């Protein structure tokens, strides 16, 4: 036994030194070629060798060294039987050295597959819309990890001789209770996937229950919004759908503003329309959409004035500033053209 252990250790040490030498050489080669700065399309084979083949070789070297040492005394058949012997032999689980080694080797392989797919995904999203890239990256990363590691888990169960029948029975029984218990969570995850698919993007301005803010983060359960008043509000994804949120920047970032004003009876309505529309059109405000025409409409005969409304498209986020400038422009325009802006007046009679 002592000679057997000594022979095994000499062979194992030889494998360790060889694998270490290869690892250091491959690492130096990668640094010289600057693979860390190159895209995955040029470095995938280097990663396969460095992250999969070398670790698998290290795992195999342990069993191979033991086999070589046993073969010196013609015990190779006995050694192979020990490798395949199920030291844990149950109806639902079979464990042997060779089975465990295969599961570990598959773990290195699937880890490399997951990392490579994520690198390909990030490279693809570099050229996509930056406002949706973050949400799609989160969704893609989770989908890839679930698929890759779910596949590894199922294959490992099969290799270890785990019967999937009991697993399906237990999961079927628990699914009903878990489904009711996690109803709200599953609902938020579903709506989160819908949001991340493009209905809302990070950076969009939305309005929920009269609160306007910019979306800063979207995940599977909640959406974080920074309001105009500096508050950080977290909405559950299902709340955004039940409250019928408004996306203010989904199309072009402008909303329709109706600016009311009035002029005195006896004023020339056509003149009022012309001068106000011309003045507001010339108002080169960065918050006003210059591609859409400005229009003044006659709305009603008021108690003290002829009431009108100015229809104009303004920046959704800066609506208050835009309307303020437009109202100032209307006021100055009416005064400069001698058009009276009425206001309520009352005559008070004092009796002695």
């Amino acid at each position: 036994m002592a000679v057997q252990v000594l022979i095994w250790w000499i062979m194992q040490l030889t494998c360790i030194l060889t694998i270490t030498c290869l690892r250091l050489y491959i690492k130096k080669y990668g640094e010289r070629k600057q693979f860390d700065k190159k895209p995955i399309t040029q470095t995938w084979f280097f990663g396969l060798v460095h992250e999969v083949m070398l670790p698998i070789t290290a795992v195999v070297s342990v069993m191979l060294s033991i086999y070589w040492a046993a073969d010196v005394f013609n015990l190779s058949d006995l050694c192979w039987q020990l490798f395949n012997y199920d030291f844990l032999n149950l109806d639902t689980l079979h464990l042997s050295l060779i089975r465990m080694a295969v599961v570990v080797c598959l773990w290195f392989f699937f880890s490399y597959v997951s990392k490579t797919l994520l690198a390909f995904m990030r490279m693809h999203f570099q050229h996509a819309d930056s406002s949706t890239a973050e949400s799609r990256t989160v969704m893609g990363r989770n989908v890839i990890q679930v698929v890759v590691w779910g596949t590894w888990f199922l294959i490992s169960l099969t290799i270890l001789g785990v019967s999937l029948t009991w697993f399906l029975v237990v999961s079927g029984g628990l699914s009903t209770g878990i489904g009711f218990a996690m109803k709200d969570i599953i609902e938020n995850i579903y709506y989160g996937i819908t949001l991340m698919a493009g209905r809302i993007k990070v950076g969009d301005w939305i309005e929920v229950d009269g609160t306007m803010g910019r979306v800063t983060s979207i995940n599977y359960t909640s959406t974080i919004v920074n309001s105009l008043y500096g508050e950080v509000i977290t909405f559950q994804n299902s709340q955004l759908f039940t409250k019928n949120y408004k996306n203010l920047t989904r199309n072009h970032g402008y909303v329709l503003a109706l600016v009311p004003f009035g002029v005195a009876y006896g004023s020339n309505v056509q003149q009022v329309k012309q001068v106000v529309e011309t003045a507001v059109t010339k108002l080169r405000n960065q918050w006003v959409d210059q591609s859409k025409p400005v229009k003044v409409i006659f709305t009603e005969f008021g108690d003290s004035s002829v009431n009108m409304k100015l229809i104009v498209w303004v920046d959704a986020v800066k609506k208050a500033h835009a309307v303020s400038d437009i109202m100032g422009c209307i006021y100055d325009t009416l005064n400069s053209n001698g058009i009276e802006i009425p206001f309520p007046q009352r005559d008070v009679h004092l009796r002695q």
Side-chain angles (χ1 to χ4, degrees), residues 236-251:
Q236 291 186 353
N237 293 327
S238 59
Q239 290 179 329
L240 293 179
F241 285 86
T242 57
K243 293 182 178 181
N244 296 323
Y245 67 91
K246 299 178 182 178
N247 193 329
L248 303 177
T249 56
R250 173 69 176 179
N251 293 328

Side-chain angles (χ1 to χ4, degrees), residues 200 204-215 225-229 233 235 239-250 255-256 316-317 319:
I200 292 180
D204 282 356
W205 286 86
I206 65 173
E207 183 177 348
V208 185
D209 289 344
T211 301
M212 182 186 298
R214 186 174 65 87
V215 178
V225 177
N226 285 351
S227 72
L228 285 176
Y229 302 101
I233 306 174
F235 292 99
Q239 290 179 329
L240 293 179
F241 285 86
T242 57
K243 293 182 178 181
N244 296 323
Y245 67 91
K246 299 178 182 178
N247 193 329
L248 303 177
T249 56
R250 173 69 176 179
V255 294
L256 188 65
V317 181
K319 181 178 178 180

Side-chain angles (χ1 to χ4, degrees), residues 1-11:
M1 178 62 68
V3 174
Q4 185 82 16
V5 172
L6 181 61
I7 296 174
W8 164 77
W9 175 242
I10 293 174
M11 293 182 176

Side-chain angles (χ1 to χ4, degrees), residues 13 16 75 119 140 146 156 178 201 215 299 333:
L13 185 60
I16 292 174
L75 299 175
V146 169
S156 300
I178 294 175
K201 301 177 294 185
V215 178
T299 57
T333 301

